[in-house]
Amino acid sequence: MYTKIKICGLTSISDALLLRRYKVDYAGMVLYYPQSKRNISIETAKEIITELKKSDIKTFAVTVSPDKEQLQYIEAAGFDYIQIHGVLKEDVYNDAGISIIRAVNVKNAEEIDNEISGLNNKSKIKGILFDAGTPGSGKTFDWNALNKLILNNTLLKEKMLFLAGGLNKDNVAKAIDTVKPDVIDVSSGVEYDSDKRGKSPQKVEEFVNAVNQFR
């Protein structure tokens, strides 16, 4: 099994260069969500995308309940995917010209079932991302409960499965072994321990090595 790596919350060209150096598969950028310390402008996102397009790294616009205008800016910027937390509005779904990754914030197994029950027959949704109850909190959730649900849910077998939430070099191998996701998604787990913004080169290297050893 080959699990791909997505590093989320890029804020600078320096972050992009790190992903290129360690041959990460996917990159995520937080947009239109000022509550997040990783939020960046669409102009900065364009600069990062330009750097990432020098390699094969696919880009994700990470959003919360985006509207049609925001979708248009995201598509014009050249993103490959839009990752949607919060509400997936019907007009946004209908107008989307890029693939959608639907994010589900997990508090318990029952909530997972309820969240994904409405995703049938939505062909633009190419993947489902499972994150902790509070996204960006650096906390994990019950991977065993998710694994049981995956085994009994046909929809989850048809979509790309992303696993996020509190992942780091020390627990990522267990996460992959338990859930067997298509993509492992990390943000806070590869950031500096201090208040310094951005991704830590050492932590990115350690995380990528931890995943590569499991492959």
Side-chain angles (χ1 to χ4, degrees), residues 5-207:
I5 300 172
K6 174 170 173 273
I7 293 183
C8 206
L10 273 65
T11 58
S12 66
I13 295 295
S14 296
D15 288 345
L17 291 172
L18 273 179
L19 270 62
R20 290 188 61 204
R21 182 190 310 170
Y22 294 107
K23 296 179 171 59
V24 171
D25 303 286
Y26 301 128
M29 286 160 263
V30 179
L31 295 168
Y32 306 114
Y33 194 66
Q35 296 94 317
S36 171
K37 66 179 183 180
R38 305 176 186 95
N39 187 66
I40 60 175
S41 68
I42 195 71
E43 289 76 19
T44 299
K46 289 177 183 178
E47 295 173 358
I48 295 173
I49 289 172
T50 297
E51 183 62 41
L52 293 175
K53 283 190 179 297
K54 297 176 183 177
S55 63
D56 294 327
I57 300 173
K58 301 299 183 184
T59 54
F60 290 62
V62 181
T63 64
V64 178
S65 308
D67 58 31
K68 286 174 60 175
E69 183 179 13
Q70 291 167 349
L71 171 66
Q72 290 169 1
Y73 282 120
I74 285 166
E75 293 186 349
F79 279 96
D80 298 295
Y81 297 87
I82 180 169
Q83 177 178 315
I84 300 179
H85 295 253
V87 178
L88 172 54
K89 300 170 184 175
E90 186 174 354
D91 58 350
V92 170
Y93 176 83
N94 291 336
D95 282 14
I98 57 176
S99 297
I100 298 170
I101 304 300
R102 183 67 171 121
V104 177
N105 299 111
V106 179
K107 293 181 181 177
N108 55 59
E110 183 178 347
E111 280 194 358
I112 301 174
D113 207 22
N114 291 338
E115 286 281 355
I116 64 175
S117 62
L119 301 183
N120 286 301
N121 303 317
K122 290 189 179 296
S123 60
K124 292 182 182 180
I125 296 177
K126 302 301 182 183
I128 302 173
L129 182 144
F130 293 98
D131 200 351
T134 303
S137 64
K139 296 181 180 179
T140 60
F141 60 94
D142 188 350
W143 297 329
N144 288 306
L146 175 58
N147 186 44
K148 291 178 182 177
L149 185 64
I150 292 169
L151 293 174
N152 296 301
N153 191 293
T154 302
L155 176 66
L156 294 183
K157 296 175 183 176
E158 296 173 348
K159 306 287 186 183
M160 290 177 65
L161 176 61
F162 294 71
L163 180 64
L167 297 171
N168 56 53
K169 66 179 178 63
D170 298 317
N171 64 13
V172 68
K174 182 178 180 181
I176 294 172
D177 187 48
T178 303
V179 180
K180 298 174 178 58
D182 298 298
V183 183
I184 206 82
D185 190 320
V186 65
S187 185
S188 60
V190 293
E191 292 177 339
Y192 293 99
D193 293 326
S194 65
D195 291 333
K196 183 177 179 180
R197 199 180 194 207
K199 307 306 180 189
S200 160
Q202 178 182 346
K203 288 189 176 183
V204 169
E205 180 180 15
E206 290 172 343
F207 187 85

